Every structure is written in structure tokens, then in C-alpha cells.
Amino acid sequence: MTGFQGQITLDGPSGTGKSSVARAVAARLGAAYLDTGAMYRAATVAVLDAGVDLDDAEGIARAVTAATIEVGTTAGAELVQVDGVDVAERIRGVEVTRSVSPVSAVPAVRRRLVDQQRALVAAADAVVVEGRDIGTVVLPDATVKIYLTAAPEVRAQRRAGQLGLSRPEKIAALAADLRRRDEYDSNRADSPLRPAADAVVVDSTDLDRDQVVDRVVEIALSAVGAGERS
Ligand code: DC
């Protein structure tokens, strides 16, 4: 045991390596892990399957309210279900990725998922929660708040590496897509992407994943007075 109890919020734009950092931090601290992006992605599956137009906010709200969305909180054992069907793979596909921003901008969708997020967090003694608005809206009283960022070009390079792409025009297209999503998420009226006033901003532009994990674990342990562990 590392002695960490409480909530660590990990917010920031896409492509910062947030998910893999969040999972590794949870594993190091023996904490639960909640991927709130997976919940918005699962909600998007419900909307797509209901055949609702992405301009129809009311239809989106109805489709999401009618669906049963379930996510697990164990790092390394991803459980994501919509109406009892496993959608863990489907939520990572292009169709969902392309449609998730308008779904997550609908206030009724956010209210519904935020309630569910708070209930899941309340059930854990120690938890790492990853998203965009966790430190600002979902858990304003969290023990530790981290905002993870990195230069867009570096984020696009990392994403390209994961996808096995190396052509400069492909990387430029990825960078443009990341900028478009950041812009949308940062400018939406409800719960825009931004660091909480009391968040520690960690810039991973010049750090590798392990260095970021070390830094977050160190911040978390010093926040609860548990000191550094070797
Ligand atoms: O982290 P991700 O790429 O899986 O998130 C998918 C989308 O969901 C992203 O476009 C922003 C949105 N999202 C959100 O609005 N609020 C959160 N707490 C998490 C994700």
C-alpha cells in the first residue's frame, strides 16, 4: 500500500497520454480508475444506434436517458456496456470518435453522466478519474487535481505512433483533428475544457510517460502527507 486515499482528477485535452498515465497512476497507488471519456463515448453509441441526428440535442438527450450505460472502475479490465452489450472496442472506432463532441456538449447528457460519475467515485476509497471537467465540475473538492497538457504537434506525433502512421501529411491531419476537438471542447457552453484554479499543470511535451507517472504519484503522495516512496 502507498497510503493514498482520496480522489485524483486528471483532466486535459486528447493525445496527452492521459489514459495511460491515469491507468499507471491507479495501478501504482492501488486505486480504482474511472475513464469518463469512455462514458461519453458509450452515450454516443446509444445515440448512433437510436438513429438520432447529431444536430438534434433533444433527441440526443432522450436516447442517452433511455440507455443503460455501465463502466467499470478497475484499471486494466476495461468494462463498457450499453444496454448490456460490450462496446469497449466500438467506442474507440472512428464513427464514435467523430460523433462524441456534439453528444458530450448536450447539458442533459452531462448531468446524467456526472451523477453516475459521482456515484462511482463515492464507492471507492482511492480513485483516479480521467476527463475534461473532473476538477472543475464533477469533483470540485478532489484531493489532488492534475491538468495534463502537451504541445499539439507532440500530441499528434504520439497519436501517429500509436496508429503506425509516419507520413507527414497524415501527422498534419491528426494535428488538425486534435486542434478541432480541443477547440470544440474548450468553447462549449457547458463544462468547457480548462484547468481548475487549484490544479497542478503538468506539461508532458518533454517528458516520457514514466516521468509523467512519477510526477503525478509524487504530487498525490505529498498532498496526503505520505511522502515519497521508492
Ligand atoms: O478522453 P476521450 O477522448 O475518450 O473523450 C471523448 C470525448 O468526450 C471528448 O471529445 C470530450 C468528451 N469528454 C467530456 O466532454 N467530458 C469528460 N469528462 C470526458 C470526455
Side-chain angles (χ1 to χ4, degrees), residues 39 109-120 138:
M39 298 174 78
V109 170
R110 304 202 69 83
R111 276 198 300 276
R112 143 102 210 255
L113 295 184
V114 167
D115 283 349
Q116 203 174 340
Q117 288 157 16
R118 289 183 178 141
L120 288 164
V138 182

Side-chain angles (χ1 to χ4, degrees), residues 36-37 40-41 100-101 104 110 131-133 181 185 188:
T36 62
Y40 288 96
R41 288 171 180 271
V100 65
S101 281
S104 63
R110 304 202 69 83
R132 303 288 190 289
D133 61 338
R181 278 214 281 156
D185 294 340
R188 69 179 174 220

Side-chain angles (χ1 to χ4, degrees), residues 4 7-10 141-146 200 216 219-221 223-224:
F4 180 83
Q7 309 92 30
I8 300 173
T9 65
L10 198 57
D141 299 324
T143 323
V144 180
K145 297 181 185 178
I146 309 285
V200 179
V216 175
I219 295 167
L221 292 179
V224 296

Side-chain angles (χ1 to χ4, degrees), residues 123-184:
D125 292 334
V127 62
V128 180
V129 189
E130 171 203 338
R132 303 288 190 289
D133 61 338
I134 312 303
T136 49
V137 173
V138 182
L139 302 173
D141 299 324
T143 323
V144 180
K145 297 181 185 178
I146 309 285
Y147 189 86
L148 189 59
T149 181
E153 297 69 28
V154 171
R155 289 155 51 205
Q157 284 283 0
R158 288 180 189 157
R159 196 39 62 94
Q162 285 162 3
L163 298 171
L165 303 172
S166 57
R167 298 206 348 239
E169 62 272 24
K170 294 273 183 203
I171 297 173
L174 282 174
D177 183 54
L178 284 175
R179 277 202 198 87
R180 185 183 55 77
R181 278 214 281 156
D182 289 356
E183 176 118 346
Y184 195 108

